[in-house]
Amino acid sequence: MADGASLEARLCSEQYGSGAARGCCAAVDGSLQWEAWGWRWWGFSGAFTAKPEGPDGGGEGAPATASAPLSRLLALFLPQGFPDSVSPDYLPYQLWDSVQAFASSLSGSLATHAVLLGLGVGDAKASVSAATATWLVKDSTGMLGRIIFAWWKGSKLDCNAKHWRLFADILNDVAMFLEIMAPVYPICFTMIVCISNLAKCIVSVAGGATRAALTMHQARRNNMADVSAKDSSQETLVNLAGLLVSLLMLPLVSGCPSFSLGCFFLFTALHIYANYRAVRALVIETLNEGRLWLVLKHFLQRGEVLGPTSANRMEPLWTGFWPSVSLSLGVPLHRLISSVSELQQLVEGHQEPYLLRWNQSQNQVQVVLSQMAGPETVLRAATHGLVLGALRRDGPLPRELEELRNRVQAGLAKESWVIVRETHHVLDKLFPKFLKGLQDAGWKTEKHQLEVDEWRATWLLSPEKKFL
């Protein structure tokens, strides 16, 4: 562009995604003269200059770059508008997810080799009908397991996507280990491969459901289908690479079972490590019970609200590391009361659209939600239940809660409904500050990933009752 033209004011400008904008000035002959593209890709500093692709000096999609073939190749595997169209944790998660998929592909090749060996492939004495029967029994067991697991845990997979994602991959490794060991015990071969296929079908349900939940988290421009499709393309490419490596590896290990088992353990270790790093890279901005407990505990102890990055980094990924209180949201009203007096006792002092009962001996909190309860009401109810659980734990608490904890631990407050009513008053002061802190820290409070049942109820409402 001429020096004189560059000094003139820009008439307009354009940019693609997060790339640097290019301006447009009026040329001497009255035409539009566009600047050369300057585009940053994946956060690399420096611009890549390009020549115009069309007669107007611009392309139809992304601007052309000096590495146009690489850009087109990346477009095959990355969502349109990357990186702005996905969450910030997309790239580290996908990189580690690709590593685990590659390791799993190699382990799967060894397991498939072992199963075919156990079925009698290559053995002239093997019966085709027996192998077919074993295969049918194996598949039937897996199908039944898939249906039962989806019914049993389907509603919980969204709430704890990280945990179930890690669980699914570890269970997949266990299933492949069983397949490798099955030929060693020919008498129990059918039973072992049935158990293995049952585990793999559970993996299929848990892995597919959590992948959908993570896709919803990563898609930021109403582009779930594109993110999911590109994830499938990435997985296909990785599996193709694993297939090619397996073709070279299997002839080397087929005659040496110990070497094959050693390779399997090596790939399994890589698979588990890559899965852990992938799940740990996720930064989910919605609250489930585990993340809510971490943030609330920090708030009660220090008066500060943890941001999504810090809370996700601290979130435990293994089962068993949960708040000591057993929290149930959306329980039926008939489970909590059996008489009019119990209903009156439960409603008294409640100005929020939920009713809460606390069983001190079992440290169990059950919450009945009103028909009018919204996401913030559910969040407050969960916070209320976790605060009650904190009264039975050690650690610093605000002065009002410290007094209540002393009464609970001293056995002076035997009537749980009295403590529930008093914690309502404490939360009237604490929860607005907590909610404001969550929003300022970057948490999405308009939705949540708390496990809530579908039961709703109505009761005689106080005229001062609030709705959130």
Side-chain angles (χ1 to χ4, degrees):
M1 183 178 294
D3 293 339
S6 63
L7 297 176
E8 297 179 6
R10 290 183 176 183
L11 295 177
C12 54
S13 64
E14 65 178 5
Q15 71 182 90
Y16 181 82
S18 61
R22 67 169 182 171
C24 174
C25 301
V28 177
D29 58 359
S31 63
L32 296 179
Q33 191 166 4
W34 290 92
E35 295 175 351
W37 278 110
W39 198 37
R40 292 187 298 271
W41 185 256
W42 281 9
F44 290 118
S45 59
F48 299 95
T49 306
K51 295 181 180 180
E53 284 189 345
D56 60 348
E60 294 180 358
T65 67
S67 56
L70 177 60
S71 298
R72 294 191 182 95
L73 180 62
L74 293 175
L76 292 174
F77 301 101
L78 294 174
Q80 182 179 358
F82 174 89
D84 300 307
S85 60
V86 292
S87 60
D89 57 14
Y90 178 84
L91 186 58
Y93 175 82
Q94 293 300 125
L95 290 175
W96 283 111
D97 189 57
S98 297
V99 173
Q100 69 85 17
F102 180 74
S104 179
S105 177
L106 298 180
S107 299
S109 299
L110 295 174
T112 302
H113 177 268
V115 170
L116 294 177
L117 184 65
L119 289 172
V121 175
D123 185 357
K125 299 180 181 180
S127 170
V128 176
S129 58
T132 303
T134 300
W135 199 270
L136 293 177
V137 171
K138 175 180 74 73
D139 285 351
S140 301
T141 304
M143 291 174 186
L144 291 175
R146 186 194 301 268
I147 294 172
I148 294 173
F149 181 77
W151 162 77
W152 182 37
K153 293 292 185 180
S155 61
K156 303 178 185 295
L157 300 179
D158 281 312
C159 305
N160 301 302
K162 291 184 182 182
H163 306 80
W164 285 108
R165 183 72 178 179
L166 196 59
F167 166 82
D169 286 301
I170 293 177
L171 183 61
N172 189 50
D173 290 330
V174 173
M176 290 189 290
F177 175 73
L178 290 176
E179 289 180 342
I180 287 181
M181 297 303 296
V184 180
Y185 304 97
I187 298 178
C188 303
F189 178 82
T190 300
M191 182 182 67
I192 293 175
V193 294
C194 285
I195 295 174
S196 172
N197 199 58
L198 174 63
K200 283 191 171 183
C201 287
I202 293 176
V203 169
S204 176
V205 174
T210 54
R211 179 64 251 184
L214 296 181
T215 299
M216 184 181 300
H217 155 70
Q218 292 175 335
R220 295 302 166 93
R221 288 185 179 171
N222 197 26
N223 57 339
M224 280 188 59
D226 186 30
V227 173
S228 179
K230 295 303 170 56
D231 177 70
S232 178
S233 296
Q234 295 169 21
E235 186 175 358
T236 301
L237 179 64
V238 171
N239 288 336
L240 178 60
L243 177 62
L244 296 176
V245 175
S246 298
L247 291 176
L248 300 175
M249 177 185 64
L250 288 177
L252 301 177
V253 302
S254 58
C256 184
S258 59
F259 183 52
S260 175
L261 193 60
C263 290
F264 172 79
F265 284 130
L266 176 64
F267 298 144
T268 299
L270 176 61
H271 180 240
I272 294 176
Y273 175 74
N275 266 294
Y276 174 82
R277 292 296 302 270
V279 174
R280 183 57 77 188
L282 291 169
V283 180
I284 300 178
E285 300 95 344
T286 49
L287 291 163
N288 63 0
E289 186 177 341
R291 289 189 288 274
L292 177 60
W293 169 242
L294 283 172
V295 176
L296 178 62
K297 182 171 66 172
H298 190 85
F299 176 77
L300 294 177
Q301 294 178 351
R302 303 187 182 182
E304 302 173 351
V305 175
L306 289 173
T309 302
S310 300
N312 277 267
R313 190 182 301 119
M314 297 167 59
E315 182 183 9
L317 299 178
W318 308 102
T319 57
F321 294 90
W322 292 101
S324 59
V325 64
S326 174
L327 179 64
S328 300
L329 299 170
V331 301
L333 184 59
H334 70 263
R335 187 183 299 176
L336 269 64
I337 58 172
S338 58
S339 65
V340 175
S341 60
E342 288 183 351
L343 176 60
Q344 292 175 340
Q345 188 181 78
L346 198 63
V347 173
E348 183 181 359
H350 284 65
Q351 295 184 359
E352 300 290 334
Y354 67 87
L355 302 177
L356 186 148
R357 167 167 286 180
W358 180 35
N359 186 325
Q360 288 193 51
S361 60
Q362 300 179 5
N363 203 16
Q364 181 183 46
V365 174
Q366 295 176 302
V367 179
V368 177
L369 296 173
S370 166
Q371 296 279 5
M372 306 301 293
E376 291 185 5
T377 295
V378 176
L379 187 59
R380 169 166 171 145
T383 302
H384 195 166
L386 294 177
V387 165
L388 290 171
L391 298 180
R392 302 183 64 87
R393 299 172 66 102
D394 296 327
L397 290 175
R399 180 179 55 82
E400 303 92 335
L401 292 177
E402 187 69 40
E403 294 174 357
L404 289 176
R405 180 168 64 182
N406 292 336
R407 291 170 55 188
V408 170
Q409 293 182 348
L412 301 177
K414 297 182 180 180
E415 296 291 339
S416 297
W417 64 272
V418 176
I419 297 296
V420 170
R421 186 172 59 187
E422 294 190 17
T423 50
H424 261 297
H425 300 320
V426 175
L427 281 177
D428 285 339
K429 300 178 181 178
L430 286 182
F431 185 72
K433 298 178 182 178
F434 181 56
L435 182 62
K436 180 66 165 55
L438 290 173
Q439 295 168 345
D440 292 342
W443 292 99
K444 297 180 180 178
T445 57
E446 68 277 6
K447 57 183 180 179
H448 57 77
Q449 290 181 328
L450 296 166
E451 185 180 345
V452 184
D453 208 341
E454 295 300 314
W455 289 93
R456 297 294 183 271
T458 57
W459 56 89
L460 184 61
L461 303 179
S462 168
E464 300 156 353
K465 184 178 280 295
K466 298 181 288 185
F467 298 99
L468 297 176

